[in-house]
Amino acid sequence: METSLGFGLGGNRCITTVKGQEIRGGQKEPRLLSLIERSGEYMLNVLANPDAVVKSPVPQLSIPINSHFNVVQEAEEALLIDIPINSSCSIRVCGDSVPDLQLQLPDDERSQSFLSQLRKAKQQALSKSQSLGRMDLAAPVLDKGLVPVSVQSNSITPAAALPVTPIINNAKTGNPNSSKPGNPFITDCGDSALALASDFGFEENFCNALKVEEKKNHQNHIIAPREPPPVPPLPPRRSSSTPAAVLPPKDRPHPPSQGPSVVPVNKDNHRFPTDRSFGWNESPTYMSNTMKQLFSSQSGQREAMIKYQLVKKEKEFVDIQNFRLFTGTWNVNGQSPDSGLQSWLSCDPDPPDMYAIGFQELDLSTEAFFYLDSSKEQQWVEAVERSLHPKAKYSSIRQIRLVGMMLVIYAKKQHKSQIRDVAATSVGTGIMGKMGNKGGVAVRFVFHNTSFCFVNSHLAAHVEDFERRNQDYKDICARIIFQLPGHTPLSIVKHDVVIWLGDLNYRLFVYDASEVKALILKNELRKLQEYDQLNVQRKTKRAFTDFEEGNINFIPTYKYDAKTDRWDSSGKCRVPAWCDRILWRGSGVKQLNYRSHMELQTSDHKPVSSLFSIGVKVPNDLRYKKVFEDIVRRMDRMENDFLPSLSLTRREFTFENVKFRQLRRERFHITNDGQVPCQFGFIPKLNDSQYCKPWLHADPCEGFLEPNETLEIFLEVYVSKDSVTMLNSGEDSIEDILVLHLDRGKDYFITIGGNYLPSCFGTSLDTLCRMKKPIREIPITKLIDLVRWTAVGVALWRAGIAMHGELSVQTCRALL
């Protein structure tokens, strides 16, 4: 850490500087923090490359110190075990136009002095603002430090208003009105370090684990990941004349029981019986955030419809070209590379166009588990880069690591310009369902016009825990959400091509190692694969249902004695199994090779690789221009000719005998019987924050319809632990009215009715103890009285009054 006083940068006076680290994307990255004074105004500058301060002392992020600025020093929590670490202090910085920054500074006198200077600057800013507030200003003063920055199509982060500060590499700034981007800082893609304020990634300690995961997956219902959460997203209320801007997900109200950064997700019972993100369906009926925001004006509506039509007519202006993709996975058992990897990564005569390489158990040390530091990460990255195919030059696209799981993506240099919208995220499913000893890391991007998603996972171990592996898979599918500006949150399956690789840990339903080894010696691999747990789970549609896997013609890759080709000779004598697998889903994917590499003996696993030929959609510029012009001409003819209109097949629904955690579904159809495309959406009623009650959900809740197009809408009633208490006590009932709003059209009202069967779930133990018969035989009025009198008893007990005689009925009523 360095501290400097009083030197000037372009008319600014630097009061003090300090070196620290930002915790972001599950990693620590160096930062230089500077407290700057300019004409009596203070600001906190953040430089992403501290070593370049002499050559280019220009910050990537400037945070004005005003009434909105705040810095909080967080207390370090004691761990379960005593591990000596370098002493440091964590702070969280909040300010105008930027999300929270989580920083770590050395715990010494200079850092404390820096924090003290920040607080003094904040006090001076507050004093100045209060004095200005008492002045009688003749006219409002515009903040000249704020200028709008336009969004470019290939930017990683959205546009926003930030203080006027030169930004290196033409960086784009962060939009305070959009959801937090899930992209870590990507220097090799040429984008600015202004993505400093992105999501945080893997947890630093036990207490902060859930909070960080919620911020990272704010479209995912973390609280109940294994049940279908019903609470829907909130579409905005629009006027009948001019549509209003749609609220981004982070600005939508949340249910009272949820944290501020958690949004429950929808449910798709047809694919995965777990949580999913909004926009799971691949239909073009669903709109991106950019399209929604464009609806703030009539011209924006026109542009959004043109984009919608382009998506539907994509086949008319794209050609399919085949590209070769090499994928590899290896559980390295915490070892360092002790030999070249050419026999694995360069085993084909022709170089692939892209590499996707996953590692598991990269580092088994305590530091990697608790503090995210790993000395072996760079060792393996360098070993990989030395072993890429020598006949081509490759560029790194993205690298992400969570404890021992690492995924690295490379592409030929000539392809890098065609790769955009790169994002990465991770999910821990290990200890407490959150820690990163098990889980998955994922990277997504768009190559030409085809979207790719790569998932590297390490699932639960042990032969008998195949159901836990199934649940890990479902949790990863539900909780991995990519946040990109201008897009709805993207789940794994909302990509054209998905490659899933890793140590899936599925074993054999054969528990005699000698029997398995005998079948291997006889080369009866087909018979042995009939007992493979992954094959069984796929056939019974319990996991990886939509994925494909090639024929396995190699012997099991687990478990060997390290540095040898001998099967496990330890006391445990593990049964050989195909733990390391590569699967895929999507059209236009052809597997050319699927093999293991027995010559590499570093680990107790053998590496596996697969070579794919993938058909990629490559746009043709001339045909694209023609399609675009045809769409514009058609829009010109249709615009302002007719008003939108809908017809509904049903408007009244009754859900009888609803039970706790039992999903009930009804459906109806809406048809655009007008002459123009229309936008519909459920909107909240007057004085309501959501369009429906917590136990109700409409899927989809908004979308587009072309003329004569029909869409099926599902109404789902699901009573979860968040809504059961109100229903049990009679304070809520299965009754609601939905308002289906048609943009530039009228509202349609849908009536929901029914009854709920009370149960012990969601009722306090005190109330249950006072019941003399089953809860469903007690009238609702008596249930309400029981709940209220239970609250009185609790209040009396806490106040210590219940031990001192009887109280009058009037006193008890007053306590209510």
Side-chain angles (χ1 to χ4, degrees):
M1 180 183 63
E2 298 175 355
T3 302
S4 307
L5 298 175
F7 62 87
L9 294 174
N12 299 336
R13 186 171 70 93
C14 182
I15 299 175
T16 179
T17 63
V18 65
K19 281 187 179 180
Q21 293 178 314
E22 183 191 5
I23 303 172
R24 183 178 59 79
Q27 298 181 0
K28 297 179 181 178
E29 299 184 7
R31 299 287 181 262
L32 180 67
L33 310 179
S34 303
L35 178 60
I36 303 297
E37 187 269 336
R38 179 179 59 186
S39 302
E41 301 287 342
Y42 294 89
M43 66 182 64
L44 175 63
N45 284 355
V46 181
L47 186 66
N49 184 8
D51 297 329
V53 66
V54 177
K55 298 180 180 178
S56 179
V58 179
Q60 274 86 1
L61 186 64
S62 293
I63 307 174
I65 298 180
N66 50 28
S67 58
H68 301 290
F69 178 85
N70 194 21
V71 56
V72 179
Q73 185 171 352
E74 300 180 342
E76 293 290 335
E77 299 203 12
L79 297 175
L80 298 180
I81 58 178
D82 184 17
I83 303 172
I85 58 173
N86 294 328
S87 179
S88 61
C89 63
S90 297
I91 64 172
R92 190 176 298 275
V93 177
C94 315
D96 279 343
S97 305
V98 293
D100 296 353
L101 296 181
Q102 189 177 13
L103 303 168
Q104 194 172 79
L105 307 178
D107 191 9
D108 55 20
E109 294 180 359
R110 293 188 175 182
S111 294
Q112 296 303 323
S113 175
F114 180 85
L115 296 176
S116 176
Q117 293 281 2
L118 279 182
R119 296 188 183 99
K120 289 181 181 179
K122 172 67 180 297
Q123 289 297 330
Q124 294 185 24
L126 287 177
S127 301
K128 186 174 182 179
S129 63
Q130 291 172 0
S131 62
L132 289 175
R134 292 190 292 267
M135 296 175 62
D136 186 15
L137 299 179
V141 179
L142 295 178
D143 185 0
K144 297 182 180 180
L146 299 178
V147 294
V149 182
S150 62
V151 178
Q152 298 184 14
S153 60
N154 61 348
S155 63
I156 297 297
T157 54
L162 281 181
V164 177
T165 304
I167 306 298
I168 63 173
N169 297 334
N170 297 325
K172 283 76 181 174
T173 54
N175 188 351
N177 297 325
S178 67
S179 59
K180 293 182 181 180
N183 300 341
F185 177 51
I186 308 173
T187 57
D188 58 338
C189 289
D191 292 277
S192 166
L194 202 58
L196 287 168
S198 63
D199 50 332
F200 301 119
F202 181 70
E203 306 82 30
E204 271 284 319
N205 51 54
F206 289 107
C207 182
N208 199 35
L210 180 58
K211 185 180 298 183
V212 174
E213 191 68 37
E214 288 173 348
K215 285 193 175 184
K216 183 176 179 182
N217 300 309
H218 70 86
Q219 287 289 340
N220 182 30
H221 198 325
I222 300 298
I223 294 179
R226 306 190 184 194
E227 58 183 81
V231 183
L234 174 64
R237 176 178 288 278
R238 304 178 182 88
S239 64
S240 59
S241 57
T242 303
V246 176
L247 290 175
K250 67 172 283 190
D251 294 328
R252 295 178 179 172
H254 302 276
S257 60
Q258 306 300 327
S261 60
V262 179
V263 177
V265 299
N266 300 338
K267 183 67 186 174
D268 187 348
N269 292 317
H270 303 297
R271 288 196 176 184
F272 304 104
T274 56
D275 298 336
R276 64 178 175 85
S277 67
F278 304 119
W280 179 280
N281 196 311
E282 294 284 343
S283 169
T285 301
Y286 304 94
M287 301 167 291
S288 68
N289 288 339
T290 300
M291 294 176 68
K292 294 177 183 177
Q293 293 167 4
L294 288 172
F295 270 84
S296 59
S297 64
Q298 294 294 336
S299 60
Q301 184 179 22
R302 174 187 174 89
E303 184 176 348
M305 289 184 177
I306 292 175
K307 290 184 177 181
Y308 171 72
Q309 293 288 334
L310 284 173
V311 172
K312 297 191 67 174
K313 296 178 177 293
E314 182 185 51
K315 293 182 179 179
E316 298 181 17
F317 59 84
V318 299
D319 297 319
I320 303 299
Q321 296 183 16
N322 291 324
F323 293 86
R324 292 160 64 92
L325 167 68
F326 179 96
T327 58
T329 176
W330 193 8
N331 183 322
V332 296
N333 194 31
Q335 304 297 315
S336 298
D338 57 3
S339 61
L341 307 180
Q342 289 83 357
S343 60
W344 176 32
L345 303 180
S346 302
C347 55
D348 297 303
D350 298 321
D353 294 285
M354 285 186 287
Y355 278 95
I357 305 165
F359 293 93
Q360 306 84 41
E361 294 188 3
L362 189 80
D363 195 336
L364 301 177
S365 66
T366 306
E367 290 77 9
F369 184 78
F370 285 105
Y371 307 114
L372 307 179
D373 293 330
S374 174
S375 60
K376 296 180 180 178
E377 176 178 359
Q378 190 60 29
Q379 296 178 17
W380 280 102
V381 170
E382 292 174 356
V384 167
E385 292 178 349
R386 289 194 302 266
S387 303
L388 297 178
H389 206 288
K391 295 183 180 180
K393 299 295 183 181
Y394 293 92
S395 295
S396 174
I397 303 301
R398 192 64 172 89
Q399 173 183 332
I400 184 173
R401 182 180 64 85
L402 174 63
V403 187
M405 294 169 286
M406 183 173 72
L407 179 62
V408 290
I409 308 293
Y410 296 91
K412 285 183 177 179
K413 287 189 174 182
Q414 61 264 35
H415 298 324
K416 187 174 181 179
S417 60
Q418 302 299 329
I419 295 176
R420 64 184 187 277
D421 295 338
V422 182
T425 186
S426 61
V427 164
T429 62
I431 300 172
M432 300 183 296
K434 299 293 177 185
M435 301 305 287
N437 57 312
K438 294 293 188 289
V441 294
V443 173
R444 64 92 55 196
F445 57 81
V446 177
F447 180 45
H448 290 286
N449 263 35
T450 299
S451 58
F452 287 80
C453 179
F454 298 92
V455 183
N456 173 28
S457 67
H458 191 190
L459 307 185
H462 306 301
V463 177
E464 65 278 4
D465 286 343
F466 60 91
E467 291 184 353
R468 174 63 187 275
R469 288 187 276 277
N470 294 348
Q471 189 59 51
D472 285 351
Y473 157 74
K474 295 171 184 176
D475 287 347
I476 293 171
C477 287
R479 291 165 53 194
I480 281 190
I481 303 295
F482 298 99
Q483 303 292 341
L484 284 169
H487 296 76
T488 55
L490 299 172
S491 61
I492 291 175
V493 297
K494 198 173 181 183
H495 291 83
D496 298 322
V497 177
V498 180
I499 306 293
W500 195 305
L501 52 94
D503 181 1
L504 306 187
N505 251 326
Y506 284 98
R507 312 298 175 88
L508 299 175
F509 284 118
V510 180
Y511 305 107
D512 186 352
S514 60
E515 179 182 352
V516 173
K517 294 174 184 177
L519 290 173
I520 294 173
L521 288 175
K522 296 178 183 178
N523 200 28
E524 296 184 8
L525 301 183
R526 296 291 182 206
K527 181 177 180 180
L528 203 57
Q529 290 167 17
E530 295 176 2
Y531 304 98
D532 178 76
Q533 292 180 349
L534 179 56
N535 292 339
V536 174
Q537 303 311 303
R538 290 176 57 216
K539 289 179 182 178
T540 56
K541 299 186 182 303
R542 295 181 179 179
F544 293 95
T545 304
D546 296 332
F547 285 83
E548 300 180 53
E549 185 181 21
N551 295 326
I552 300 178
N553 298 317
F554 50 88
I555 65 175
T557 56
Y558 172 86
K559 176 180 183 179
Y560 296 85
D561 290 337
K563 313 295 183 182
T564 72
D565 288 331
R566 295 192 308 269
W567 298 113
D568 180 26
S569 61
S570 66
K572 296 182 180 180
C573 193
R574 302 287 191 187
V575 178
W578 286 282
C579 292
D580 311 283
R581 312 288 275 268
I582 300 174
L583 300 93
W584 77 91
R585 72 186 299 272
S587 59
V589 181
K590 180 181 179 181
Q591 189 177 56
L592 304 179
N593 284 307
Y594 193 23
R595 58 216 165 182
S596 66
H597 301 267
M598 300 297 295
E599 59 273 16
L600 295 177
Q601 302 176 348
T602 305
S603 171
D604 56 354
H605 289 250
K606 298 297 182 181
V608 173
S609 69
S610 178
L611 184 64
F612 294 100
S613 175
I614 300 178
V616 175
K617 296 177 288 187
V618 180
N620 181 285
D621 292 338
L622 293 178
R623 295 208 305 270
Y624 172 83
K625 182 179 179 180
K626 181 179 182 299
V627 171
F628 178 81
E629 291 174 349
D630 290 343
I631 293 173
V632 171
R633 282 193 293 267
R634 195 176 79 163
M635 292 295 299
D636 289 339
R637 291 193 301 267
M638 295 176 60
E639 197 171 30
N640 298 324
D641 287 346
F642 302 96
L643 291 176
S645 176
L646 284 179
S647 62
L648 285 69
T649 56
R650 292 179 62 184
R651 299 197 186 189
E652 295 184 0
F653 297 87
T654 302
F655 295 87
E656 298 288 347
N657 299 328
V658 176
K659 297 181 180 180
F660 177 63
R661 285 189 175 178
Q662 289 192 7
L663 180 66
R664 299 286 298 276
R665 305 181 79 187
E666 294 286 348
R667 70 184 69 187
F668 68 100
H669 294 82
I670 60 173
T671 302
N672 181 358
D673 54 6
Q675 301 298 315
V676 294
C678 65
Q679 179 194 7
F680 69 90
F682 290 95
I683 61 174
K685 299 177 285 294
L686 190 64
N687 299 326
D688 286 350
S689 60
Q690 296 184 346
Y691 72 81
C692 67
K693 293 185 177 180
W695 43 262
L696 180 62
H697 170 58
D699 184 23
C701 61
E702 57 183 341
F704 263 118
L705 282 179
E706 288 194 348
N708 301 320
E709 185 178 357
T710 299
L711 179 67
E712 185 177 50
I713 297 181
F714 288 91
L715 296 180
E716 301 178 350
V717 172
Y718 182 83
V719 179
S720 67
K721 63 181 180 180
D722 300 321
S723 54
V724 65
T725 302
M726 300 288 287
L727 290 168
N728 275 340
S729 65
E731 299 178 46
D732 194 8
S733 60
I734 306 295
E735 293 181 357
D736 201 358
I737 295 178
L738 299 180
V739 181
L740 181 60
H741 176 74
L742 188 60
D743 184 43
R744 296 183 296 112
K746 63 180 182 179
D747 293 340
Y748 302 83
F749 298 92
I750 301 173
T751 304
I752 308 297
N755 67 292
Y756 175 71
L757 299 179
S759 67
C760 60
F761 298 106
T763 305
S764 68
L765 293 177
D766 292 330
T767 303
L768 291 174
C769 291
R770 287 171 170 77
M771 295 181 184
K772 297 182 179 180
K773 52 184 177 180
I775 189 172
R776 291 181 182 171
E777 298 180 11
I778 300 177
I780 290 296
T781 55
K782 290 188 177 182
L783 272 178
I784 296 175
D785 291 340
L786 278 172
V787 173
R788 295 179 66 190
W789 282 103
T790 299
V792 171
V794 172
L796 294 176
W797 177 79
R798 288 178 177 173
I801 301 175
M803 305 297 296
H804 302 285
E806 298 181 355
L807 294 176
S808 65
V809 175
Q810 290 80 4
T811 304
C812 294
R813 288 177 177 172
L815 288 172
L816 290 175

